[in-house]
Amino acid sequence: MGAEPPAATCEGPDLFAALGAWDRWLALVAHCWERGTDVPWHLVEGSGEGRVALLPPYPFEETRHWPAEAPPAPEAAVATPARPTPADARREPREHLATIWQEVLGVDDVQPDDSFFLLGGHSLLASQVMARIWERLQVRVSLGDLLEAETLEGMAGLVAERLAAERLFTSLAPAADDTVGTVEL
């Protein structure tokens, strides 16, 4: 007369056991969903009644947390870094770098063989060193080169090398329009 239901041969959660408890039902739905079944989530979530959390009714006050009028923007003057003075040009790059290291790292004395990292330096401070080298010596040094040099002597050698290359270039190249700069990455 009536055919018997086919036996469940699927390995995984038991359908009849899943109908008995909510957590087993969710495990079955998750099992089916993981295997690509399109699950009607609005049916799984239920009607939504009883699941709404009411928030306490706080009074709404419109409060401004910023000034009504923004202060006028200061006129930005285009600052061009000044070339080192003749007295500064006579200083060795190592002396400039020692001063920069003392300012950035907050140490009193720096020796030529001191490690930037052992004195508390890291990549963010190295970027500050790189910016100050540009401000004071007008030499572009990449962050990677600074980090590889590691010691004061290594960085001073790198800066001296770049200074010599710049002097050679300026002596050989004709005067050019200096309105467009380059960025070394």
Side-chain angles (χ1 to χ4, degrees), residues 122-142:
H122 48 76
S123 61
L124 295 176
L125 291 177
S127 65
Q128 290 182 14
V129 169
M130 182 179 72
R132 291 184 190 199
I133 289 172
W134 170 249
E135 287 174 0
R136 295 188 187 163
L137 300 173
Q138 298 294 302
V139 176
R140 294 184 195 271
V141 181
S142 71

Side-chain angles (χ1 to χ4, degrees), residues 103-117:
E103 293 170 359
V104 171
L105 297 174
V107 295
D108 295 330
D109 188 36
V110 180
Q111 299 300 318
D113 59 342
D114 284 345
S115 170
F116 181 73
F117 301 109

Side-chain angles (χ1 to χ4, degrees), residues 34-162:
E34 287 174 344
R35 280 145 185 82
T37 304
D38 198 16
V39 177
W41 292 108
H42 65 282
L43 296 176
V44 174
E45 292 174 359
S47 64
E49 294 178 20
R51 295 181 186 220
V52 176
L54 297 175
L55 298 175
Y58 293 111
F60 177 74
E61 296 177 10
E62 184 176 344
T63 307
R64 293 181 67 109
H65 297 282
W66 57 88
E69 293 181 21
E75 292 187 26
V78 178
T80 56
R83 296 297 283 176
T85 63
D88 282 345
R90 285 191 293 264
R91 284 179 65 189
E92 290 288 321
R94 184 181 342 164
E95 294 173 13
H96 285 287
L97 281 171
T99 304
I100 292 171
W101 275 32
Q102 289 170 352
E103 293 170 359
V104 171
L105 297 174
V107 295
D108 295 330
D109 188 36
V110 180
Q111 299 300 318
D113 59 342
D114 284 345
S115 170
F116 181 73
F117 301 109
L118 293 179
L119 291 177
H122 48 76
S123 61
L124 295 176
L125 291 177
S127 65
Q128 290 182 14
V129 169
M130 182 179 72
R132 291 184 190 199
I133 289 172
W134 170 249
E135 287 174 0
R136 295 188 187 163
L137 300 173
Q138 298 294 302
V139 176
R140 294 184 195 271
V141 181
S142 71
L143 186 61
D145 290 343
L146 278 181
L147 293 174
E148 279 183 21
E150 187 176 344
T151 63
L152 180 65
E153 188 66 36
M155 285 188 191
L158 184 66
V159 170
E161 181 181 298
R162 298 287 167 93

